[in-house]
């Protein structure tokens, strides 16, 4: 079994997921409402962005890489570990950064009840990342599943970031072009994985990781839709 079949499975899930109503209805948001929508969305991404940083550093990164595959994953994980800094800048732009005056304010914002479904999504990402252990093929299956959904979602937020800039004259980076451009520009070179042979156990575990990720992402999208279009 060649690894390219794993990537084909991810691509098939991606095509199916693009049919979600969020990806269509987000374009019905008008310029007058975009500030309110971004104030609703942005705080919910603090936990997500920082947990994403931990996942990359704790589970995908290899301290002493021994081959080109480990090095390729490391290079991507290092870049992804920095994206939280863009969110920090966006929170300043949105006027939300200075509303947190103490630890209590921060805790209330990060762990508010409204964000529980999104935190649960990230906890499930952790579970799958832990499943990978040191297996680079499982790591790339998990990582690329995440990359596929990140690109889908943040290609959508670019529309909202553009509306926000038209409304306020201020540019967003985490929700705008800078984030998604970083994902595209620093994508893992999958060609070094595609022709590799994997055993049945790795294939089955990879499929489980992929299927579970897209199932959880569907729930993530459902929840984002419910709070965006109540």
């Amino acid at each position: 079994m060649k690894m390219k079949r794993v990537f084909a499975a991810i691509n098939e899930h991606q095509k199916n997921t693009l049919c979600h109503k969020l990806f269509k209805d987000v374009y019905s948001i008008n310029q007058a409402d975009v500030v309110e929508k971004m104030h609703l969305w942005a705080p919910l991404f603090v936990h997500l962005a920082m947990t994403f940083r931990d996942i990359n550093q704790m589970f995908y990164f290899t301290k002493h890489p021994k081959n080109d595959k480990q090095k390729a994953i490391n290079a991507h994980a290092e870049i992804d570990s920095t994206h939280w800094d863009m969110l920090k800048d966006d929170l300043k732009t949105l006027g939300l950064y200075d509303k947190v005056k103490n630890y209590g304010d921060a805790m209330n914002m990060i762990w508010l009840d409204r964000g529980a479904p999104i935190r649960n999504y990230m906890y499930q990402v952790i579970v799958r990342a832990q499943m990978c252990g040191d297996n680079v093929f499982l790591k790339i299956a998990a990582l690329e599943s995440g990359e596929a959904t990140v690109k889908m979602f943040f290609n959508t937020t670019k529309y909202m970031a553009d509306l926000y800039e038209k409304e306020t004259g201020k540019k967003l980076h985490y929700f705008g072009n800078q984030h998604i451009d970083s994902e595209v520009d620093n994508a893992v070179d999958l060609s070094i994985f595609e022709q590799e042979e994997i055993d049945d156990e790795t294939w089955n575990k990879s499929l489980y990781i992929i299927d579970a990720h897209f199932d959880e992402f569907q729930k993530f999208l459902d929840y984002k839709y419910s709070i965006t279009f109540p």
Side-chain angles (χ1 to χ4, degrees):
M1 184 80 64
K2 290 193 183 295
M3 190 67 191
K4 64 180 179 181
R5 288 192 61 185
V6 171
F7 301 134
I10 293 172
N11 290 337
E12 187 64 27
H13 271 293
Q14 186 175 15
K15 285 193 294 184
N16 294 335
T17 306
L18 280 169
C19 297
H20 194 280
K21 56 189 175 181
L22 179 70
F23 296 129
K24 174 175 63 73
D25 289 357
V26 72
Y27 294 101
S28 69
I29 296 173
N30 59 49
Q31 190 171 316
D33 293 334
V34 73
V35 174
E36 176 193 351
K37 299 298 185 185
M38 290 311 303
H39 279 217
L40 173 67
W41 277 30
L44 302 180
F45 280 83
V46 174
H47 181 279
L48 182 147
M50 298 311 295
T51 304
F52 188 59
R53 173 182 179 270
D54 279 347
I55 290 168
N56 278 284
Q57 292 187 344
M58 294 179 181
F59 304 117
Y60 294 146
F61 190 83
T62 302
K63 286 186 178 179
H64 305 291
K66 298 176 182 177
N67 55 57
D68 58 348
K69 296 175 185 62
Q70 290 178 337
K71 290 175 182 177
I73 292 171
N74 274 7
H76 189 79
E78 283 188 286
I79 295 294
D80 275 4
S81 294
T82 67
H83 288 168
W84 64 273
D85 216 27
M86 296 182 207
L87 177 60
K88 190 168 65 173
D89 287 342
D90 280 7
L91 291 171
K92 292 176 182 177
T93 300
L94 289 162
L96 300 173
Y97 191 85
D98 291 330
K99 288 188 176 182
V100 177
K101 303 297 184 184
N102 52 53
Y103 279 116
D105 287 349
M107 292 166 72
N108 288 338
M109 180 185 71
I110 295 168
W111 285 280
L112 78 171
D113 289 344
R114 188 171 59 207
I118 296 175
R119 295 197 301 276
N120 183 64
Y121 170 73
M122 293 309 296
Y123 297 142
Q124 298 305 317
V125 175
I126 291 173
V127 170
R128 293 189 295 277
Q130 287 177 314
M131 284 179 58
C132 297
D134 295 326
N135 188 316
V136 292
F137 300 114
L138 295 180
K139 282 186 180 184
I140 198 65
L143 192 151
E144 282 301 305
S145 295
E147 286 299 297
T149 52
V150 161
K151 287 171 184 173
M152 279 190 279
F153 187 78
F154 284 98
N155 266 315
T156 300
T157 67
K158 280 202 309 183
Y159 168 74
M160 294 178 68
D162 288 344
L163 279 187
Y164 184 84
E165 186 173 2
K166 290 176 184 175
E167 178 68 14
T168 67
K170 298 176 181 178
K171 187 180 290 289
L172 297 174
H173 300 295
Y174 183 80
F175 294 105
N177 286 324
Q178 187 177 342
H179 187 178
I180 194 64
D181 286 350
S182 176
E183 295 289 351
V184 173
D185 294 344
N186 297 287
V188 177
D189 179 8
L190 299 183
S191 67
I192 64 176
F193 293 90
E194 285 180 333
Q195 298 305 318
E196 293 287 341
E197 293 283 346
I198 56 174
D199 58 29
D200 287 345
E201 182 180 3
T202 301
W203 165 249
N204 290 330
K205 284 185 177 179
S206 295
L207 280 187
Y208 173 82
I209 287 169
I210 295 165
D211 291 347
H213 178 79
F214 280 91
D215 285 348
E216 292 298 327
F217 186 61
Q218 183 79 23
K219 296 174 189 175
F220 171 91
L221 293 176
D222 289 346
Y223 182 66
K224 292 298 293 183
Y225 190 93
S226 73
I227 62 174
T228 306
F229 304 100

